[in-house]
Each structure stands twice: as structure tokens, then as C-alpha cells.
Amino acid sequence: MRVLVSYFSQTGNTEKVAQAIHEEASRTEESELKKIGEVDLGSLDDYDIVFVGSPTHVGDLSAAVKEFLAKMPKSPRFKVAGFVTHAGYEPEDFHMCVPSFANAAKAKRIVLCGCFDCRGRLAPPIRPVVKENKGVSDEQWERDMQELDAHPNAEDERTAREFARSMLAEA
């Protein structure tokens, strides 16, 4: 089976999860790891399953990943599995990601095998805006950022590998 693990990452969170998925897939399958900007959309039908990873931007997939999904061919022979990283505490912090994957798959008549989410470090430039929107104390915010800065961690990577195994079993 041929596997592509593609991703968009700005802080390294999504890249770290992509690497864990790729490492797991490489154990038993022919797997490639590429940033979405490096993927030749015309070659996607060479794969059996394409993992697509995105950071969460304002509760949804990044614009780069949405564009990538929109450019995928209709009715391909490959299946898709999505994964996202987020700094969310509540499902509403990343609530549009799974529906965005599902909607893109439906529009392209692609089988969506599943989605995985993982907490990750919040990019420093947007921390003040998020803090203000959350309305938390400085002390609570500092604790929250220390917690997020520890992700993705070894447990998250283990869970990503489990996700990869289950998606490969479905492909």
C-alpha cells in the first residue's frame, strides 16, 4: 500500500504529528512525508491513502489546507484521513475542522476514513489575542500556556501512531 502523509505547519505541532504518522505507516507500508506545498496533486492517485494535516485557525482548518483539499481530484482512487493540531480546551475551539474535512471529502467524492486531533503549542504572536478572547487571569493564562507548550508530547505521538494504524487498516 502507498501512503502519503501531507501537512501544513507553522509552529511545528502539525509537523510533529505528521512525522509520527509517517513513522508508523513506514513500518509496514511505502510511505512518503511531504508538506502540502510539495505535493503534486496530479500524482495523488498513486496513493491508497492520503493523510492531510492542518493547524487550527479560528476554529477551522488553515486556509492552505482548505485550498489543498479544494484542488484534490474528484472521485479519486485514494482515501483520506485528516488530522489537526489545536490550542483548544473546548470542542468549539476546533469545532469546524472535522466538518471541513467531511465537506471537502463529500464534494470530491472521497472516502474520509477518519480524523484525529491533538493539542499543541499556541503561536506566540497570537497569544495576546486569544488570551483577551478567553478572558482568563494572567496566572491562569500562564498555566495554560505551560501546558500547551508541552504538546504534542510522547502520549500525543503514541495516539497519532494508533490513529495511523487504524486508518491503514481501513484503507
Side-chain angles (χ1 to χ4, degrees), residues 81-158:
F83 62 98
V84 297
T85 56
H86 58 83
Y89 297 94
E90 306 295 330
E92 61 265 13
D93 291 332
F94 55 97
H95 72 285
M96 291 304 301
C97 293
V98 173
S100 288
F101 274 123
N103 291 338
K106 183 178 178 182
K108 296 293 184 166
R109 296 190 291 269
I110 298 173
V111 174
L112 179 63
C113 297
C115 293
F116 171 76
D117 75 271
C118 169
R119 291 180 75 198
R121 179 178 161 267
L122 185 62
I126 64 169
R127 287 182 181 196
V129 173
V130 175
K131 180 183 182 293
E132 184 177 320
N133 287 338
K134 291 289 183 187
V136 297
S137 69
D138 290 343
E139 295 78 23
Q140 181 62 49
W141 183 252
E142 187 59 36
R143 284 192 299 273
D144 292 348
M145 291 304 97
Q146 286 177 355
E147 168 64 23
L148 285 176
D149 286 346
H151 290 275
N153 59 25
E155 177 64 18
D156 298 324
E157 290 178 50
R158 184 190 64 72

Side-chain angles (χ1 to χ4, degrees), residues 38-52:
E38 300 169 349
V39 175
D40 173 10
L41 291 162
S43 71
L44 288 177
D45 268 335
D46 294 343
Y47 300 96
D48 298 295
I49 186 167
V50 176
F51 289 86
V52 180

Side-chain angles (χ1 to χ4, degrees), residues 19-72:
Q19 289 170 340
I21 290 170
H22 169 66
E23 288 168 8
E24 185 60 34
S26 295
R27 291 175 37 136
T28 58
E29 311 300 336
E30 182 183 339
S31 181
E32 293 181 59
L33 176 67
K34 293 182 180 184
K35 294 178 181 178
I36 62 169
E38 300 169 349
V39 175
D40 173 10
L41 291 162
S43 71
L44 288 177
D45 268 335
D46 294 343
Y47 300 96
D48 298 295
I49 186 167
V50 176
F51 289 86
V52 180
S54 178
T56 302
H57 289 176
V58 193
D60 204 350
L61 301 175
S62 68
V65 170
K66 285 181 174 183
E67 181 180 334
F68 178 75
L69 293 169
K71 290 181 178 179
M72 283 185 161

